[in-house]
Amino acid sequence: MENWAADDGSDARRRYITSAVKVRLHQRLFRERVLAAYREQCALCRLRHVTLLEAAHITPDSDPDSEPVVTNGVSLCKLHHAAFDQNILGIRPDYVVEIRQDILEEVDGPMLRFGLQEMHGSKINVPRREHLRPDKDALEQRYQSFREAQ
């Protein structure tokens, strides 16, 4: 058994540095608007713990064509947002969720089974107001990226 507390000569004290970071000024307002449109719940699993919800960009924020508008966002919990960003899950333009085939075939614990695999084929919850629903053209482009990643 390794001794994680062993003195290897490195300084194990907590130390900090000051760094400069680039902050997206629109992000806070984008998140607030997207979460409000989705009634403060994950569009996939309906989790309502706001501290665990994020506004996922359909067209990635780094893309020059991306806009911080509700129709370019989906309210997702941290798990589903990460899976969406990593092309583990895709959302078709008809709002149906697809999970990548290798993930569907994987055997693991309950989080994989209930958190991802059982989402395959389900429909996301969308905002009640039609003009706030995800842009279908943007979803189509993002879905093609998901398909290419398989």
Side-chain angles (χ1 to χ4, degrees), residues 66-129:
S66 181
E67 292 289 332
V69 294
V70 173
T71 56
N72 186 41
V74 180
S75 176
L76 297 174
C77 67
K78 291 177 183 274
L79 171 68
H80 292 131
H81 187 182
F84 184 65
D85 284 352
Q86 295 301 311
N87 287 317
I88 289 172
L89 75 80
I91 302 171
R92 297 188 329 218
D94 61 357
Y95 308 131
V96 173
V97 175
E98 286 189 13
I99 303 297
R100 208 171 63 206
Q101 189 61 40
D102 63 318
I103 301 298
L104 287 173
E105 295 169 359
E106 189 176 327
V107 177
D108 197 10
M111 183 55 74
L112 178 69
R113 181 173 163 212
F114 297 112
L116 291 173
Q117 292 169 332
E118 289 192 5
M119 295 291 141
H120 185 73
S122 66
K123 276 193 131 178
I124 65 167
N125 281 339
V126 295
R128 290 181 181 143
R129 297 171 135 181

Side-chain angles (χ1 to χ4, degrees), residues 29-41 54-56 68-76 127:
L29 186 56
F30 174 70
R31 179 182 183 273
E32 289 172 3
R33 288 179 175 168
V34 169
L35 267 56
Y38 284 83
R39 299 172 305 282
E40 296 184 338
Q41 64 181 326
E54 299 175 338
V69 294
V70 173
T71 56
N72 186 41
V74 180
S75 176
L76 297 174

Side-chain angles (χ1 to χ4, degrees), residues 41-60:
Q41 64 181 326
C42 176
L44 273 77
C45 68
R46 295 167 186 77
L47 180 72
R48 290 184 176 271
H49 290 269
V50 175
T51 58
L52 298 176
L53 298 177
E54 299 175 338
H57 289 84
I58 298 168
T59 301

